[in-house]
Amino acid sequence: MPHGVSYTCPDCLKPCKSLGGLTQHHNRAHRKLTPASDGEDENTFQTVYHPQLTARPCNAHGAFLPEFVGPPRAPPPPPDGQDPAAWEPFGDRAEFDFANFHFTEAQSSEKDINIALDIWAASVLKYGATAPWRDARELYATIDTIHDGQAPWKTYTLRYSGPLPPGQPPKWMTQTYELCTHDTRVLLHNQLSTTVFRDHVNLVPYRQFNHTGKRVYSNLMSGDWAWKQADEIGQDPQTHGSAFVPVVAGSDKTTVSVGTGHQEFHPIYISPGVLTGTARRAHGNGVLPAAFLPIPKTSKKHRSRPAYQKFVRQMYHACLARVFQPLKAAMTIPDIVQCPDRHFRRVIISLLTSDDLRPYIADYPEQVWLAAVVQGWCAKCDAEPGNLDRTGSRLRTKTTTEFLVTQFDPGILWDDFGIRADVVPFTTHFPRADIHELLSSDLLHQVIKGTFKDHLVSWVNDYLHITHGEKRALEIIQDIDRRISAVSEFPGLRRFPDGRDFHQWTGDDSKALMKVYLAAVAGYLPSDMVKCLAAFMDTCYLVRRNSISADDLDIIRATLDRFHHYRKVFIETGVRVDISLPRQHSLLHYIRSIRLFGSPNGLCSSITESKHIKAVKEPWRRSSRFNALPQMLRSISRLEKLAAAAVSFCARGMLIGTTSSYTAMVLDGYQPQVVAAAVVNAADDDEDEVNHSPKCLTSVELGRVPARGYPKDLHSLAAHIEQPLFPAVFRRFLYEELHGPVDDVALDDCPVFGSHIKVFHSAIARFYAPSDLCGAGGMYSELIRANPNWHGYARHDTVFVAVGGPAMAGLVVGRVLLFFAFHYAGKDYQCALVHWFVPVGDTPDPDTGMWVVKPEVQRREPSLAIVPVQCIARAAHLIGVCGTSALPEDFHFSDTLDAFNRYFVNPYADHHMYEFLK
C-alpha cells in the first residue's frame, strides 16, 4: 500500500489491502443496485395537481364524459395492408415511402424526382403497369391533398400610413410589405392532436416535491405561473374541469445567404406549453413555424432616422398581433380540442390572468423590441444601463409602464425610464397580457453565447494580450487551442481538432467548448479569474438542468454571487472598465424565472435556432432563390403534411419494417395492428441516449458479441494485450471471490484458471439521472470502450467505480484496459481490468473546483485490479493538468491518458456528469 493511502471501508471500517479489494468488498456488502422502496427512495417525487383545472375529457361538443369512458376510436388498421383506401391519397406503402423519402429525407430536386419516376416506370413497363406519377408535379399535387396536418398559409399586406414628406418620399414609405402566417388556432389544434405526444404532455398545472418535501421545477406547467393562471381561471365555476394550455412563442431572425445575395427571414414559432421539455426540443411538430414577418430595408441614410425606426417597430408589433389574433377568442371562451390521447377537452388558452401569450423565447435584441424598451436597458426591470446590477431595481409591469406613459413626455420616458413611448407592444391587443413577465430566460444568447462566448472567452484573450504582450499572448492562445484539441474522447463530447480557432460560432460550438475550456486555460490565468470561470460554469450547469429543486435555487444564488464577486478581476486587470452588461444582468432574473416557468432549458432559444434548419434554411435551398418565400411556404406545408401522415400510418401499424419487407408480409396475409405512440427523442447536443428500462442507480453490461482474434487462455491473453501482471491479478481476484478480501495472500494459494476467456471491446452503462431531459428523472445509457484499434488508435475509456467514502462522491477512477467474461465455479463473470487513478488530496482543486487524480503506481508498476462491471457507475472524463507547460505541436489526443502525471476529473463533460460529481 502506498504511504498515506488508506483502503478502509467507510461503511463498516473493514481494512482492505488494495483499492480492488475495497471495491469488491463494497460491491458485495454495501452497494445498492436499485432504488429503495417508494417511501424511502431519494429519487421519488410527490405531485400535487390543480384542483379545479383537471382537464376532464369531454365529447366533441364540450359535454363532460362520465368517468372511465374511453376516447374516440382511432381509424382501424386496414384488413389488407395494401388497401389503397387506407393509404389515401397514396396507393400503397411504396408510393408513400417514395414521396416521403424524396421530399423529406433526400430533399430531391424536381429533376431528380423525374429521373427516379422514369426508372420506376421502366421497371414495371414489362408487366403492363405504370408509375403512380408522370412527373414531380403530379407527386407534389398528391402531397398537397393530404388532409392530416393541414394549416393553410395566409398573406396580409401592410404599408406605412403616416404623413408623407414633401417631394419624393423614401421608398420604405410607399412600399407594400407582406406578412405570411398560418391560422395559429388550426396549427395549435394540429400540434395538440399529435398522438406521439401522449406520454409527453402535462394537461394540468402541478406542483412537484422531492423526497425531502422541497419544490421541484421542471416543465412549464410545474411553475408558479401556470398554477397562478389556473387559480384565476378556477374562480369561475364554469371553467372547472377544463384544461389550461399555454402557448409558447418564439422568434429569431436568421440569414440564409450573405454578400450580394443577402437573404434574411424572420420566422415566428409556436409550441403548446403543455408539452414537456423533451418533446419541445425533439425533431418533430412540437415547435412549428407560424408566420414569417416582413423585414423592411432602406438605405443607410434613412436607417437611423426616428420615423423609419418607429415604423419598423410598430409594424413588428402589428404583425405579431395579427399572427396571434386567431387565439384571442380562446382566451375568454373555452375551445374544444382533441388531445394526444385522442380525448376531446375544453381548453382555455388564458382567462382572467395577467398574461395571455405565454413565455416568449427571444434573445436580447428581440426582447428589447418586444418590450418596447430602449437598447441597453433591461426588458424585465428598471435597472439603468450604467448600473444594471444595482440593488433595489423594480420589476417592470404593464400597469406601471402605462401609468408612466400618461405622466411623462417621451423624452423623459426615454432618458429616465428606458421606455419607448412611440411603440405599442403587441400584447396590448390581448386581454391581461404583460410582455415584461412573458419574456423568458434565454440560455443560448444570455448564458452560452452571450456571457461565455462573447464575454468571458473574449476577456480571457484580452487579458493575455494585456499581460503578456502580442507575441507571447498568441503563443499561449495557440497552446490553449492545442490543449482543447488534445482532450480525450468521451460519449457525446465534440472534439475540436484546431482548438477554438474557428470563425463562425454556433450555439452547439459554444456548448461543446464550455465542457473543456476551464481545464484548458487553468495555469495561464490568475487564481481569481479561474474561480470566476468556475463559478460561471457552475451557475450555467445548474440552470441548464431539466429539473431544478428549491435547494438548487439556493446553490444557484450562491454560485451567482461567487461569479459576481470574482468577475471584478477583469476590471482589476484592466480588461474591462465596467461589467454592467444586459446579458450578464439577465442572470439575476433566472431564479424568479425558474419559479415562474420551470427549467429554462425547455424555453431556450436554441429550440427555435435549431428549427431554422428545417423550417427556413432547407426550404430556401430547395427553392429557386427568386421570390423564395412562397416556394418555401409550399415546402413547409408539404413537410408538415407528410409528417402528419407518417404519424397516422405509424399508429395504425402500417410503417413497420422496410418498404419491401412490409409488402412481402402483407402479400403473405399480414394484417396491420395498432401500435403504441412513437417515442419522442430529444434533440440535445449530448449523444447519450434516453433508456426506458426499469429504473436502477446504475447497471453495466458487456457487448453482445465477443471480439475476435484474441487468445482464449489466461497467459496467452496477457501476452497479447501486453499486461504481464494480468494473470496474477486475475488469480487473486478469483481468491477474493471465493474467500473475500484477504491481505498478502500468496499467489501459490490462489486458484489456477484453465477455462476460456471472452474479450469484449465495449460495455453499455445505464444510469439514473435525476435531472435529465425526461423532466424529473429517467434512465440514460452510454457506451464505454476498451478497443485497441478504434479508428486507427487505441481507445481505453476511463470509468467511475463506486467504493464509498467522502472523497469524490465515493468514487474512484479506473482506466479500462480490457473488458472480458468467463465462467468459473458454476458462476458467470463479466469483468474489467482497470488501472487505478487515485485522488490527489481530499478536496477538489481550490481554483477550478475540479477533482485532480493521478495514475496509481505500486512498486513502480501500474496498480491494476479486476472489478466486476456491476461496480462501474458510468464513464468518466479526464483532462490532463498542463499548468504552464506547453504541449508539443504534434501531440495527439489518443496519447492524453498516458502522457500526464495529473488529470482533472471533468464534471462538465455532460450535464449528467455534473450532477454526478457536484
Side-chain angles (χ1 to χ4, degrees):
M1 181 186 302
H3 179 69
V5 179
S6 173
Y7 297 120
T8 301
C9 176
D11 296 310
C12 65
L13 303 182
K14 176 181 174 63
C16 300
K17 177 185 176 182
S18 64
L19 189 57
L22 175 60
T23 303
Q24 299 296 318
H25 166 75
H26 181 270
N27 183 58
R28 184 181 298 107
H30 305 295
R31 182 171 172 76
K32 297 178 181 179
L33 292 180
T34 57
S37 62
D38 289 344
E40 301 174 357
D41 184 8
E42 65 178 14
N43 296 310
T44 58
F45 299 87
Q46 292 184 344
T47 304
V48 178
Y49 293 96
H50 197 273
Q52 280 89 40
L53 268 66
T54 54
R56 283 182 57 190
C58 65
N59 60 25
H61 304 290
F64 289 124
L65 298 177
E67 196 172 3
F68 305 121
V69 173
R73 291 186 178 182
D80 177 3
Q82 293 293 93
D83 180 7
W87 289 97
E88 188 179 355
F90 302 95
D92 53 24
R93 166 75 180 266
E95 291 186 15
F96 172 76
D97 283 352
F98 182 92
N100 194 41
F101 172 76
H102 280 284
F103 196 85
T104 304
E105 302 296 333
Q107 300 182 29
S108 303
S109 65
E110 185 173 330
K111 176 183 176 181
D112 290 342
I113 293 176
N114 287 335
I115 293 173
L117 287 173
D118 185 64
I119 295 173
W120 188 345
S123 65
V124 298
L125 191 61
K126 57 187 175 183
Y127 304 108
T130 60
W133 305 284
R134 288 179 298 178
D135 53 29
R137 295 192 178 187
E138 286 192 359
L139 184 147
Y140 297 155
T142 300
I143 297 174
D144 291 337
T145 60
I146 297 175
H147 295 293
D148 296 308
Q150 188 164 352
W153 290 91
K154 298 180 180 179
T155 301
Y156 298 91
T157 57
L158 306 93
R159 60 179 299 166
Y160 175 76
S161 60
L164 298 177
Q168 182 69 30
K171 185 178 178 181
W172 64 266
M173 287 187 174
T174 58
Q175 188 174 353
T176 299
Y177 303 92
E178 291 186 346
L179 165 66
C180 300
T181 177
H182 271 311
D183 185 319
T184 46
R185 177 180 175 272
V186 174
L187 196 63
L188 186 64
H189 277 242
N190 290 343
Q191 291 175 303
L192 288 173
S193 63
T194 304
T195 55
V196 296
F197 296 145
R198 184 179 60 190
D199 299 324
H200 301 274
V201 294
N202 300 288
L203 293 170
V204 180
Y206 65 95
R207 290 172 174 169
Q208 197 167 43
F209 302 88
N210 61 20
H211 72 291
T212 64
K214 297 294 181 67
R215 184 79 177 272
V216 177
Y217 304 89
S218 53
N219 301 306
L220 175 60
M221 299 296 279
S222 72
D224 291 339
W225 174 85
W227 193 277
K228 181 181 69 174
Q229 298 290 303
D231 281 343
E232 294 289 335
I233 294 170
Q235 292 181 11
D236 182 1
Q238 298 299 318
T239 65
H240 292 184
S242 299
F244 171 63
V245 177
V247 176
V248 177
S251 67
D252 191 16
K253 191 183 297 183
T254 184
T255 302
V256 295
S257 68
V258 295
T260 56
H262 187 77
Q263 286 279 335
E264 287 183 308
F265 295 97
H266 198 161
I268 303 292
Y269 301 95
I270 69 168
S271 172
V274 295
L275 296 182
T276 64
T278 306
R280 190 170 298 115
R281 298 185 71 86
H283 291 301
N285 72 339
V287 178
L288 289 177
F292 283 83
L293 303 182
I295 303 178
K297 294 182 180 180
T298 189
S299 62
K300 289 184 178 180
K301 181 176 70 174
H302 295 285
R303 200 174 299 163
S304 60
R305 294 188 176 179
Y308 173 74
Q309 294 183 352
K310 178 180 178 180
F311 165 72
V312 171
R313 290 177 179 272
Q314 287 183 339
M315 184 172 69
Y316 178 74
H317 285 273
C319 288
L320 289 177
R322 176 66 262 178
V323 170
F324 296 109
Q325 184 66 27
L327 299 175
K328 188 173 182 179
M331 297 175 186
T332 54
I333 302 173
D335 196 4
I336 310 302
V337 177
Q338 191 168 32
C339 297
D341 61 0
R342 301 198 62 81
H343 268 300
F344 287 95
R345 287 180 174 86
R346 300 173 61 185
V347 166
I348 301 173
I349 292 179
S350 183
L351 183 63
L352 298 176
T353 63
S354 59
D355 338 305
D356 283 300
L357 294 175
R358 293 304 55 101
Y360 201 97
I361 304 172
D363 60 6
Y364 174 71
E366 197 87 10
Q367 291 191 357
V368 168
W369 278 61
L370 286 165
V373 299
V374 178
Q375 185 81 16
W377 288 72
C378 177
K380 299 179 76 67
C381 73
D382 63 359
E384 299 173 356
N387 190 17
L388 285 171
D389 298 328
R390 66 177 172 86
T391 58
S393 298
R394 292 169 297 184
L395 294 173
R396 295 183 186 270
T397 65
K398 175 184 176 181
T399 303
T400 302
T401 299
E402 290 177 347
F403 173 78
L404 292 174
V405 170
T406 62
Q407 299 297 312
F408 299 99
D409 63 44
I412 294 177
L413 290 172
W414 181 288
D415 295 333
D416 295 346
F417 300 101
I419 297 173
R420 297 188 64 110
D422 58 344
V423 177
V424 179
F426 77 96
T427 50
T428 302
H429 300 282
F430 297 88
R432 304 162 300 279
D434 190 340
I435 189 60
H436 302 296
E437 186 175 32
L438 297 181
L439 293 172
S440 64
S441 300
D442 178 17
L443 288 172
L444 179 64
H445 290 94
Q446 294 170 348
V447 178
I448 298 168
K449 292 177 69 174
T451 303
F452 175 68
K453 177 250 181 181
D454 292 339
H455 297 164
L456 296 179
V457 174
S458 298
W459 295 356
V460 166
N461 289 349
D462 292 343
Y463 163 79
L464 294 174
H465 282 85
I466 292 172
T467 305
H468 299 284
E470 185 75 13
K471 181 179 178 181
R472 177 56 181 157
L474 292 176
E475 292 175 353
I476 293 174
I477 292 172
Q478 186 177 22
D479 185 56
I480 291 173
D481 286 341
R482 280 197 295 269
R483 295 181 182 186
I484 293 172
S485 66
V487 169
S488 59
E489 291 196 314
F490 183 80
L493 182 66
R494 175 186 166 185
R495 292 200 60 262
F496 294 92
D498 300 317
R500 43 143 295 282
D501 187 21
F502 44 89
H503 300 288
Q504 185 66 35
W505 287 55
T506 66
D508 288 342
D509 292 332
S510 298
K511 291 177 186 177
L513 184 63
M514 288 178 71
K515 299 177 180 182
V516 299
Y517 186 72
L518 181 60
V521 298
Y524 282 126
L525 305 180
S527 175
D528 282 1
M529 198 170 290
V530 175
K531 290 177 180 178
C532 173
L533 293 174
F536 167 77
M537 293 291 292
D538 289 341
T539 303
C540 178
Y541 271 68
L542 286 166
V543 299
R544 286 179 63 190
R545 288 182 173 181
N546 275 65
S547 66
I548 301 172
S549 69
D551 289 337
D552 292 333
L553 293 180
D554 294 334
I555 300 174
I556 291 171
R557 184 179 289 105
T559 58
L560 192 55
D561 289 342
R562 281 171 42 217
F563 171 63
H564 285 157
H565 171 74
Y566 286 114
R567 68 176 178 169
K568 297 175 185 176
V569 69
F570 290 104
I571 294 179
E572 296 167 356
T573 54
V575 176
R576 296 287 302 177
V577 176
D578 68 85
I579 45 180
S580 180
L581 301 167
R583 290 177 179 175
Q584 291 193 29
H585 165 75
S586 67
L587 295 174
L588 296 176
H589 295 294
Y590 268 58
I591 292 177
R592 177 175 179 267
S593 181
I594 290 168
R595 288 196 175 105
L596 284 175
F597 304 120
S599 168
N601 212 29
L603 298 171
C604 179
S605 62
S606 62
I607 299 172
T608 56
E609 285 212 352
S610 65
K611 208 66 182 176
H612 285 336
I613 298 173
K614 292 293 182 183
V616 181
K617 295 183 179 181
E618 289 183 356
W620 180 81
R621 293 187 193 118
R622 64 202 304 174
S623 72
S624 67
R625 312 296 203 272
F626 175 74
N627 194 21
L629 186 55
Q631 302 170 58
M632 293 166 59
L633 299 182
R634 285 195 295 270
S635 294
I636 293 170
S637 293
R638 289 165 181 165
L639 289 169
E640 292 173 355
K641 287 172 176 287
L642 285 169
V647 169
S648 176
F649 294 148
C650 183
R652 299 165 66 191
M654 298 162 62
L655 291 183
I656 65 170
T658 64
T659 309
S660 60
S661 66
Y662 175 85
T663 303
M665 286 191 300
V666 296
L667 291 176
D668 289 339
Y670 168 78
Q671 294 184 355
Q673 304 293 322
V674 174
V675 298
V679 175
V680 175
N681 292 317
D684 194 66
D685 56 319
D686 294 326
E687 294 178 4
D688 47 15
E689 176 185 344
V690 180
N691 186 279
H692 298 276
S693 58
K695 291 180 181 179
C696 62
L697 295 183
T698 182
S699 66
V700 178
E701 296 179 356
L702 298 183
R704 295 181 180 180
V705 181
R708 297 178 180 178
Y710 287 88
K712 300 295 184 181
D713 67 279
L714 178 60
H715 291 276
S716 298
L717 178 59
H720 184 83
I721 64 174
E722 300 179 351
Q723 294 293 337
L725 298 179
F726 181 40
V729 173
F730 186 93
R731 293 176 64 188
R732 287 193 169 93
F733 169 79
L734 292 181
Y735 184 92
E736 292 179 348
E737 283 295 308
L738 295 175
H739 306 289
V742 177
D743 292 340
D744 298 324
V745 59
L747 186 59
D748 291 340
D749 296 333
C750 295
V752 176
F753 182 78
S755 299
H756 288 175
I757 298 176
K758 297 178 181 179
V759 175
F760 296 81
H761 283 169
S762 65
I764 298 176
R766 297 179 177 88
F767 56 92
Y768 184 69
S771 302
D772 61 15
L773 293 175
C774 295
M779 292 296 295
Y780 269 74
S781 64
E782 64 187 6
L783 202 61
I784 304 170
R785 301 185 187 277
N787 192 330
N789 188 10
W790 173 252
H791 295 296
Y793 59 89
R795 176 173 173 180
H796 294 279
D797 292 345
T798 52
V799 296
F800 288 113
V801 181
V803 298
M808 209 161 62
L811 303 169
V812 174
V813 176
R815 187 181 184 191
V816 181
L817 304 179
L818 186 73
F819 282 123
F820 61 98
F822 62 94
H823 184 84
Y824 180 76
K827 182 179 178 181
D828 290 322
Y829 291 86
Q830 292 188 353
C831 299
L833 175 66
V834 299
H835 177 200
W836 292 119
F837 287 67
V838 294
V840 178
D842 297 327
T843 58
D845 176 68
D847 289 347
T848 63
M850 295 187 284
W851 287 92
V852 178
V853 297
K854 63 180 180 179
E856 187 179 47
V857 177
Q858 293 181 334
R859 302 182 184 92
R860 297 184 179 181
E861 295 288 347
S863 178
L864 304 183
I866 293 174
V867 298
V869 294
Q870 291 85 359
C871 297
I872 296 174
R874 60 159 299 177
H877 188 237
L878 304 184
I879 301 179
V881 178
C882 298
T884 56
S885 301
L887 285 179
E889 292 188 8
D890 59 349
F891 188 88
H892 193 267
F893 69 91
S894 63
D895 298 324
T896 292
L897 295 177
D898 298 306
F900 294 90
N901 296 322
R902 300 286 188 274
Y903 293 87
F904 288 119
V905 181
N906 182 20
Y908 307 112
D910 63 34
H911 52 283
H912 308 310
M913 182 82 77
Y914 182 82
E915 68 175 328
F916 199 69
L917 290 174
K918 291 289 186 172

